[in-house]
Amino acid sequence: MPELVVPDPPLADDVVALRPFTLDDVWWVTEACRDPAIPRFTTIPESYEEADAREWIGAHEEQRRAGEALTLAIVEADGGAPLGSAAVQDITWDHLRGEIGYWVAPWGRRRGAATRAARLLAAHGFGTLGLERIEVTVYVGNLASQGVAEKAGCVREGVLRSYFLAHGVRHDCVMYALMPGEL
């Protein structure tokens, strides 16, 4: 698998920028992931501690070098205030397919940050990485995240029954996908 290169200059538009996480981000990642909505719709532990944030951030470099995932902080383009996380992950190089995942801290929501980050990452995935399909898999009950996928241009393909296991519970998910010509 090819090593994923951190975009330089960073992926950005006039509202958000995407940059690598550092250990300086532990405080706000911890605070954000303590919001009940984030573990409700992800595998993030329900009781999130600073050690969890350190471990998660610490794994990013190895995943990037292994060609598995590129996880970046979503920050305000002007000033760099933290908003959330977005990643191209679960890359299957044999099929030139990857998934975009995202979460936004409570203080960063309803500003279009996740949609903008997803579009920036999709353009990077198609252009620089050479992916030919990008998926977004969302719990059936996560209407906000479904809205992000749709606003990012993804096409709803269907419901995957009992698709995702998190916190000991199986979840139905909606599969969205985006092809290079659809961005």
Side-chain angles (χ1 to χ4, degrees):
M1 292 185 239
E3 179 176 325
L4 301 175
V5 176
V6 174
D8 186 20
L11 303 175
D13 63 16
D14 57 338
V15 176
V16 301
L18 305 178
R19 62 149 175 88
F21 280 92
T22 71
L23 291 178
D24 290 338
D25 297 313
V26 166
W27 71 271
W28 72 263
V29 169
T30 303
E31 185 65 28
C33 291
R34 287 180 175 165
D35 175 65
I38 292 179
R40 178 178 174 202
F41 295 119
T42 68
T43 59
I44 291 173
E46 293 175 352
S47 176
Y48 202 82
E49 302 298 329
E50 285 188 5
D52 297 310
R54 273 192 219 84
E55 182 180 335
W56 180 70
I57 291 169
H60 294 168
E61 184 66 10
E62 184 178 329
Q63 293 166 346
R64 185 190 67 74
R65 287 189 178 175
E68 298 169 354
L70 177 62
T71 304
L72 300 169
I74 307 169
V75 299
E76 290 179 347
D78 184 24
L83 301 171
S85 173
V88 177
Q89 58 198 19
D90 299 326
I91 298 172
T92 306
W93 291 106
D94 291 347
H95 300 285
L96 297 175
R97 180 178 64 228
E99 180 176 351
I100 289 180
Y102 44 81
W103 55 259
V104 176
W107 60 84
R109 294 181 187 146
R110 294 171 191 63
R111 296 199 250 175
T115 300
R116 289 172 175 276
R119 291 185 62 78
L120 289 166
L121 277 175
H124 180 71
F126 292 136
T128 303
L129 303 182
L131 299 178
E132 295 179 3
R133 176 181 168 90
I134 292 178
E135 300 171 343
V136 178
T137 310
V138 181
Y139 288 16
V140 168
N142 190 345
L143 300 180
S145 192
Q146 290 180 46
V148 167
E150 291 167 3
K151 288 175 190 167
C154 298
V155 175
R156 181 184 171 121
E157 294 186 331
V159 174
L160 305 172
R161 296 179 306 136
S162 192
Y163 184 74
F164 197 77
L165 177 64
H167 310 290
V169 178
R170 297 211 61 87
H171 299 272
D172 294 349
C173 293
V174 180
M175 173 62 73
Y176 289 89
L178 187 63
M179 309 305 162
E182 298 170 342
L183 186 61

